[in-house]
Amino acid sequence: MKIHRAEEIWLIIGIAIIVISMAITGYQAFALGMAPPSGMEHIDPQKVDDTAPFNNPGVFQTGENEYEVVMTLQIFSFTPNKIEIPAGSEVTFTMTSKDVVHGFQVAGTNINAMVVPGYVQTITQKFDELGEYLVLCNEYCGAGHQLMATTIIVK
Amino acid sequence: MATITKETVPSQSTVKEKIHGMLGVNRQDAKLSLVLISIAFIAFLLGGILGLVQGLNRAGLFELPSWLNYYQVLTGHGVLLVLVFSTTFTIGYFYAAFSHTLGGLLPKVRKMGWAGLGLMVIGVVFVATTIIMGDASVMYTFYPPMQASPWFYVGLVFLVLGIWLYAFGAFINVAHWRKNHRGEHLPLLAYFGVGVFVLLFIGSFGVTAEVLYIIPWAFGWIDTINVMLTRTLFWSFGHTLVNIWYLAAVSSWYVAIPKLIGGKVFNDSLARLVVILSVVLNITGGFHHQIIDPGINEGIKFMHVFMSLSIGFPSMMTAFAMFATFERTGRKKGAKGLLGWVKVLPWGDVRFLAPMIAMISFIPAGAGGIAQTNNQLDQVVHNTMWIVGHFHLTLGVSVVVSFCGIVYWLVPHLSKRVLTPKMNKLGVIQTLIWTLGMIFMAGSMHIVGLAGSPRRTSYTTYGDNATALGWDPYLFFLAIGGTLLIIGCVLMFYIVFHLMFKAPKGETAFPIAEQEEGAHATPYWTERWTVWIILMLAIVAMAYVIPLVDMIFNAPPGSPPFRTW
């Protein structure tokens, strides 16, 4: 099998794209802690209301400029429904679904996670800019999917 | 006596091949392919109409009547185009290719083809009925614990069984040819066909297991279901299916286009290597649909960046081969300078123009795919309209426009008619309208998705939220694109059936490009399919054994069914 010289160069570029992609993605994931949300903790999806911490959803201060939002997702709403946090705080969302698969996305940020029944999903984000952020479900969850939204107010 | 019969068998078959070569297409084989292609384009028209309805609704321009639900329409659009159109066209095309390049289908295989069609029709009837009755608004991904009518899943089983019959038919026909042509290379187009049917067969194992697991749950025989397991099994198939059509499109780029523009196959060995790599590396790519899922750890997700990106490698080989073919052919025709060959290409010939546009669109589409496979970048666009834009470029242009390009010579070849200059002109217009529509639609989908607009969501402003209102102008462009696309869709429907029943009678050749004179012989190891299949299974095992075992033996309590629409 004979490969043209130009094609060799072209394919080396192809391999380089893969290798550089791997290096950047790996560095960001493991050195900078930017790995995609991968909650491994389990929960009984039929007993969410009786299982801590989801028996008491809400916004909790966990440190200076640190907050945890314990959130349940269900058709077609987020609980808690209104979230207010001060600017400059780092917020960890701890979430689970009470019914079908939902998505948790905050427009204008990199927050994007699948919330699958049976698993506790977490994602952390620092909110520096003031304003109102749109939170929406981005996984089709039923007839009222387009209504499933809330806001985060950073003030 | 016995020995005499044995000796005469091969010579009989060569005589048959010669007769076949003189008379052109085998009528009986052509009928099977034409029926499959007809079903494909009926699904294409219906799916296109549902797409328009959806696009207009999404832009807030059209309110659906109370008896029709957006998500029902979207499920229909996905099933018709993703499952019915692409599968029936791919099978019809490759069965015609087998018939042409392997000296006709065996009578047994032809029968299996009709039986497979019957099974697929039964399957589609079940699936379509449940969707129309509003009992299966679950999208073509049907993620549990959302639960459709059990008959929806039963229909899917019939669809898969139909596909398997076609795969077995293909393997039998190819095995028969090889028995009579020992030491010879399978013709390149049939070689692509083997790759496609190997993927269709083995790639559907995961989804078959999933559906067989869902059915007892859907009938209420088991109470709960393992949600992550079903998602993972689905995507082991979901992305493979996409690459199957892509491979079908690519086969026409390698085999037919050089012939149509008066060139030769660039490099037979490398073309076969592309098929092998596309088969071996394919199934594991599906994992990138689960990059932001819980229940899969970060290490596995990182490994899968490589598994998914590696499929870009054969695409790079294809890109090189295509443009090298064009340049060589152009220079042979006397083109001068660095880019002079571009001008001598037959741009006015729709059989070239359509696949050429398909290839060009794969440049941004493939680049977008590589970008969004990287974990952190995927997180930005996952489940947004960006993804919808991405697969309307890859499938809606690269695949669909290639398939349309195939129609212009395959349908007249099968129906013993010819493509007239008038039809060619209409085809050029169709291609341009379709392309423009997709530029508008997929372009605005990419932009609005990057801004955060979610996929699979009917028109909403989320209570007049300022961010969501800012997306409206892009959604308007989406609707303009959708409107152009329906014009292209109806034109294509007309063209297909005109070429089938109305075009002037005549002979149209099946374009099969030859190798360059003095080309290096293709090494025979390319024919060792057992090796490639074992290699493929090894890579699938590497990718899936650990996460699947973890999902099964370390599962959270299961989910009961929900009907949320």
Side-chain angles (χ1 to χ4, degrees), chain B residues 168-402:
Chain B
F168 295 148
F171 300 148
I172 291 170
N173 223 90
V174 168
H176 174 83
W177 186 91
R178 286 175 58 145
K179 217 171 102 191
N180 293 326
H181 297 78
R182 293 217 184 271
E184 284 180 47
H185 283 280
L186 200 62
L188 184 56
L189 190 55
Y191 193 87
F192 269 96
V194 172
V196 159
F197 281 104
V198 165
L199 278 177
L200 266 175
F201 180 53
I202 299 180
S204 60
F205 286 178
V207 75
T208 308
E210 182 200 2
V211 170
L212 292 180
Y213 173 37
I214 290 178
I215 286 175
W217 174 69
F219 276 110
W221 304 330
I222 54 172
D223 294 331
T224 61
I225 199 153
N226 182 334
V227 177
M228 275 308 292
L229 179 63
T230 57
R231 276 173 80 80
T232 308
L233 289 174
F234 179 84
W235 281 115
S236 75
F237 160 78
H239 204 81
T240 308
L241 188 59
V242 183
N243 282 320
I244 287 169
W245 318 323
Y246 171 66
L247 199 56
V250 167
S251 72
S252 74
W253 303 355
Y254 272 103
V255 179
I257 296 171
K259 181 77 178 178
L260 293 169
I261 63 174
K264 305 268 180 179
V265 171
F266 169 65
N267 186 329
D268 185 76
S269 318
L270 289 179
R272 286 170 202 257
L273 188 60
V274 165
V275 179
I276 293 170
L277 289 174
S278 303
V279 169
V280 169
L281 299 172
N282 211 321
I283 295 179
T284 55
F287 230 101
H288 66 236
H289 290 254
Q290 296 180 276
I291 289 173
I292 61 170
D293 274 13
I296 304 166
N297 69 43
E298 293 164 6
I300 297 223
K301 285 179 180 174
F302 181 64
M303 174 181 82
H304 273 283
V305 177
F306 177 73
M307 292 271 181
S308 294
L309 283 177
S310 59
I311 198 71
F313 190 74
S315 290
M316 296 276 289
M317 292 174 70
T318 299
F320 189 92
M322 289 307 116
F323 286 93
T325 307
F326 298 147
E327 190 195 345
R328 267 190 199 173
T329 311
R331 292 204 190 282
K332 218 179 277 170
K333 289 181 181 170
K336 299 259 174 337
L338 189 63
L339 290 170
W341 52 272
V342 176
K343 273 185 271 175
V344 299
L345 291 170
W347 295 99
D349 183 345
V350 69
R351 299 169 307 167
F352 167 77
L353 178 72
M356 185 64 175
I357 285 177
M359 283 177 216
I360 292 170
S361 80
F362 204 73
I363 298 169
I370 287 175
Q372 76 209 21
T373 300
N374 289 282
N375 290 352
Q376 285 76 247
L377 294 176
D378 172 74
Q379 194 177 321
V380 179
V381 294
H382 179 88
N383 268 1
T384 68
M385 288 294 271
W386 168 284
I387 302 295
V388 189
H390 169 70
F391 65 70
H392 277 88
L393 266 191
T394 50
L395 303 180
V397 185
S398 294
V399 170
V400 168
V401 177
S402 292

Side-chain angles (χ1 to χ4, degrees), chain B residues 155-175:
Chain B
L156 293 177
V157 172
F158 277 101
L159 257 176
V160 170
L161 289 176
I163 290 172
W164 285 4
L165 261 190
Y166 278 109
F168 295 148
F171 300 148
I172 291 170
N173 223 90
V174 168

